[in-house]
Amino acid sequence: MQPTKTRGGRSGAPRAAEAPAALGTYRGICSTCIHAPTCAYRLKSTEVAIWECDLFESYETPSLLEIVERHGRKRGAVIAMLEEIQAKYGYLPTHALQVVAENTGASMVDVYAVATFYRAFSLKPRGRHLVSVCLGTACHVRGGPGVAKEFERHLGIPAGETTDDREFTLDTVNCLGACALGPVVVVDGHYFPHVGIKDVEDILAHTLTGLDKVEVEGDRRIFPIEVNCPRCNHSLMDPSHLIDGYPAIRVTVSHGHTHGWLKLSSLYGSYNVEAEHEAPKDAVVNFFCPHCHAELRGAAACPECGAPMVPMVVRGGGVVQICSRRGCKGHMLDVSGTAVA
Amino acid sequence: MTNFTLNGLNVQVEEGTTLLEAAKFYGFPVPTLCYHEGLSPYGACRLCVVEIGEGPRAKLVSSCTYPAEEGLKVRTASTRVLRARKMVLELLLASCPQSKVIQDLASAHDIRRQRFKQEYEDCIMCGLCVRICEEQMMAKAIGFRNRGERRSIGTPFDIKSEECRLCGGCIYICPACQLRCTYTEPEKAICGACANLAPPCVEKEQFDDMMCYMDPCVACEIEKK
């Protein structure tokens, strides 16, 4: 990576008078600079400007500053800041290190030392999917190196590198603490146990189609349920609309001033939903029965996030409760109980 | 004041004094490599190890970082200490055989043979240059990077540092790179013991006292006839 000199904090008024002297040293287009529209070095709108100048300030600087600010500009929080920056960008850009160093009072040397010390930090841009092949002792003796080599062959990159299309970053790690599953491969937080050379292609294909998609067929933890309203006991099932191949559960939801239908997959274990109005993630919405218009609101709080749970009577006995917070996967199934708030 | 026993001698030092400072004050020689009076102790080279405690609970500690304690029993030259120091030196010599400082220390500790593969590293990670840059020059231009076997010393991103004033303090204090700075091919470095009649650095003044005690020569690996 070609490092660029960045001096986020020091810029004052653009020194227009000094500009012409530097014009002979064009080195690229400084399109990432926050001063680009008013830059004195940039004479015409189509003109390129010098890449490295004292006034360089990245467009990203305000959001970086916000992260630094949130941790109180403390030197002790440098690791936490770098973690957040890494989570946001997928790697640690050079100017991000500079911003952290300048605003915490730590020196660039210290920040760089931290950023290179921990394997979790990367100074190079990473791919969309991170493939970690474990080469710890247990995985090693069970064929981890062969798996790593197979990944290298399939992706065409050595371990530690990123593919040209930025899809995959291949990494080897020295123990994931899942030795009983060895050789273990972790892709974006999903653990693949007992990986053989033959499985490599499948894992990569699976990753590209999306790891979070629920496999309806073949997963025995997933089964369809039919539910009724706990108040009027009308069926909440909508046979005319299928989600995951089964009739959907139809309820009315309201969030703020918007009301609309929400259709949930009737498969226990599937989180697929369709909504008339998309409520923001993490918003707590109110559920209503489409027949009696009573609010479906239970006494229990979600064990995951604390939002109120929504009870529905399962046909055949029992109550299923789902969390009313969008995006929260908290749920309870009580097959024997009949207590409904 | 803290009272403790140093090689059987009852001594008294001010609170906070390290064992190394006490030993130096009372005249017991303790070899050091990563220690420098003007810099904070670091405990990297482990050359200054001394034995503290008694019987089965005796242990080796680096004296430069260990503050004197009331009633402590310290031995600066027990068999165990000398053996540990010798081992440390042999390893240091293997990683940096071209260093005059390490050669001299090795010869003073009666090391006459090289048991380990010579690596000709530029650096023994003693951290002296990092500390002089930070503590005496107030620059913080260089520091440690990476970790484990990839650990190295240098500027961030290996580009010229804006903080560096080219004071040369790091080169001045480095115990490993005197030859690296003047001569980059260790196998041709100054020796005197071997048959290399035209050692390339001899004419330079700072190497006039250079002498190699090793057999085979640690620098050139030519067996003495």
Side-chain angles (χ1 to χ4, degrees):
Chain A
M1 188 170 67
Q2 179 63 43
T4 50
K5 192 165 65 176
T6 60
R7 289 185 185 169
R10 288 187 214 168
S11 63
R15 289 169 295 181
E18 297 167 30
L23 284 176
T25 56
Y26 288 157
R27 274 186 248 171
I29 304 166
C30 61
S31 54
T32 54
C33 180
I34 205 164
H35 298 301
T38 55
C39 181
Y41 296 114
R42 200 184 177 99
L43 297 179
K44 297 171 202 152
S45 59
T46 54
E47 188 82 77
V48 291
I50 59 163
W51 176 248
E52 242 179 78
C53 75
D54 286 351
L55 303 176
F56 180 88
E57 200 164 346
S58 168
Y59 277 118
E60 302 292 348
T61 307
S63 62
L64 292 171
L65 276 175
E66 193 189 304
I67 291 173
V68 175
E69 210 69 65
R70 204 175 319 134
H71 291 281
R73 295 175 177 252
K74 282 195 214 106
R75 281 186 66 168
V78 163
I79 292 178
M81 291 171 201
L82 294 183
E83 266 176 350
E84 264 189 49
I85 294 166
Q86 167 101 12
K88 187 165 180 185
Y89 298 95
Y91 75 111
L92 298 175
T94 312
H95 69 266
L97 298 185
Q98 197 92 31
V99 168
V100 170
E102 271 172 12
N103 290 287
T104 55
S107 66
M108 186 64 180
V109 164
D110 293 339
V111 178
Y112 187 80
V114 169
T116 54
F117 185 90
Y118 295 103
R119 281 285 296 274
F121 295 133
S122 170
L123 294 174
K124 278 188 267 171
R126 289 228 176 129
R128 205 162 296 137
H129 305 291
L130 175 64
V131 181
S132 308
V133 185
C134 183
L135 294 182
T137 312
C139 294
H140 197 279
V141 295
R142 293 192 194 185
V147 174
K149 206 156 263 162
E150 186 69 5
F151 270 109
E152 290 183 353
R153 197 177 68 78
H154 267 282
L155 298 173
I157 46 165
E161 299 281 314
T162 304
T163 51
D164 288 338
D165 58 4
R166 289 275 171 86
E167 279 295 334
F168 289 101
T169 295
L170 180 62
D171 222 342
T172 61
V173 290
N174 286 332
C175 188
L176 289 162
C179 303
L181 306 178
V184 66
V185 172
V186 178
V187 184
D188 299 343
H190 292 257
Y191 283 68
F192 291 89
H194 308 299
V195 176
I197 288 174
K198 275 183 260 163
D199 304 326
V200 167
E201 207 170 341
D202 283 351
I203 292 174
L204 291 178
H206 192 178
T207 306
L208 283 176
T209 55
L211 289 164
D212 286 320
K213 223 181 242 172
V214 175
E215 266 183 72
V216 174
E217 305 295 327
D219 193 334
R220 296 171 75 193
R221 293 168 302 177
I222 294 178
F223 50 89
I225 53 172
E226 292 185 26
V227 294
N228 293 350
C229 168
R231 289 288 158 92
C232 63
N233 213 19
H234 274 88
S235 174
L236 296 174
M237 307 311 292
D238 185 354
S240 62
H241 191 94
L242 302 182
I243 297 182
D244 293 334
Y246 289 90
I249 300 169
R250 181 163 169 269
V251 288
T252 315
V253 294
S254 76
H255 170 253
H257 295 295
T258 58
H259 303 271
W261 51 258
L262 177 75
K263 285 171 182 166
L264 306 135
S265 171
S266 61
L267 291 179
Y268 187 76
S270 166
Y271 302 101
N272 293 332
V273 294
E274 287 171 25
E276 190 177 1
H277 303 291
E278 200 46 59
K281 199 171 177 291
D282 295 337
V284 176
V285 296
N286 299 324
F287 284 66
F288 299 91
C289 170
H291 306 291
C292 64
H293 305 292
E295 183 172 2
L296 307 174
R297 192 183 173 108
C302 173
E304 310 255 325
C305 70
M309 297 294 273
V310 176
M312 287 177 275
V313 174
V314 180
R315 225 170 284 172
V319 175
V320 63
Q321 305 208 44
I322 60 167
C323 180
S324 59
R325 190 186 295 277
R326 290 288 287 117
C328 175
K329 291 181 176 177
H331 61 272
M332 287 187 254
L333 179 63
D334 186 359
V335 182
S336 59
T338 49
V340 177
Chain B
M1 298 298 269
T2 311
N3 296 295
F4 70 102
T5 317
L6 191 55
N7 288 349
L9 187 73
N10 288 323
V11 298
Q12 197 179 42
V13 293
E14 257 177 59
E15 215 144 300
T17 312
T18 64
L19 295 184
L20 179 67
E21 285 160 351
K24 287 208 158 155
F25 180 77
Y26 284 98
F28 294 109
V30 175
T32 56
L33 195 58
C34 75
Y35 175 80
H36 195 277
E37 273 171 12
L39 303 174
S40 58
Y42 193 59
C45 71
R46 314 312 287 184
L47 258 188
C48 65
V49 284
V50 295
E51 197 175 10
I52 59 167
E54 278 176 308
R57 300 189 63 189
K59 59 176 183 177
L60 295 177
V61 296
S62 60
S63 62
C64 66
T65 54
Y66 203 95
E69 287 168 8
E70 191 69 36
L72 201 65
K73 294 209 161 48
V74 182
R75 289 174 297 286
T76 64
S78 66
T79 324
R80 189 177 168 196
V81 166
L82 291 180
R83 207 173 54 223
R85 263 186 214 152
K86 210 165 164 172
M87 186 66 190
V88 168
L89 265 173
E90 279 185 82
L91 291 168
L92 282 171
L93 194 62
S95 60
C96 230
Q98 71 274 29
S99 158
K100 162 101 169 87
V101 174
I102 297 174
Q103 283 180 15
D104 287 353
L105 276 167
S107 87
H109 284 76
D110 205 30
I111 295 167
R112 294 283 179 267
R113 279 202 168 268
Q114 184 70 316
R115 283 195 285 162
F116 305 110
K117 188 173 160 277
Q118 299 180 359
E119 305 274 4
Y120 298 114
E121 298 284 345
D122 290 336
C123 183
I124 55 170
M125 299 286 159
C126 67
L128 275 173
C129 52
V130 174
R131 279 175 286 151
I132 201 170
C133 191
E134 177 183 349
E135 294 170 16
Q136 292 295 338
M137 302 309 164
M138 312 297 169
K140 276 207 157 187
I142 53 173
F144 287 105
R145 308 165 306 178
N146 293 314
R147 67 169 161 174
E149 60 170 11
R150 293 180 59 224
R151 197 158 183 243
S152 66
I153 289 173
T155 59
F157 299 105
D158 266 326
I159 50 172
K160 192 188 168 304
S161 169
E162 286 174 39
E163 275 80 30
C164 177
R165 304 189 298 269
L166 300 175
C167 69
C170 45
I171 295 171
Y172 162 79
I173 206 157
C174 180
C177 73
Q178 305 103 321
L179 288 187
R180 185 184 58 168
C181 301
T182 48
Y183 207 81
T184 52
E185 292 166 66
E187 64 278 5
K188 291 183 190 160
I190 179 66
C191 175
C194 65
N196 190 352
L197 291 178
C201 301
V202 153
E203 49 272 68
K204 293 193 178 154
E205 245 175 41
Q206 61 263 47
F207 298 121
D208 58 355
D209 59 347
M210 185 147 282
M211 209 50 165
C212 179
Y213 305 91
M214 302 298 137
D215 178 24
C217 168
V218 289
C220 63
E221 286 187 289
I222 297 172
E223 195 117 21
K224 226 190 268 184
K225 291 276 155 58

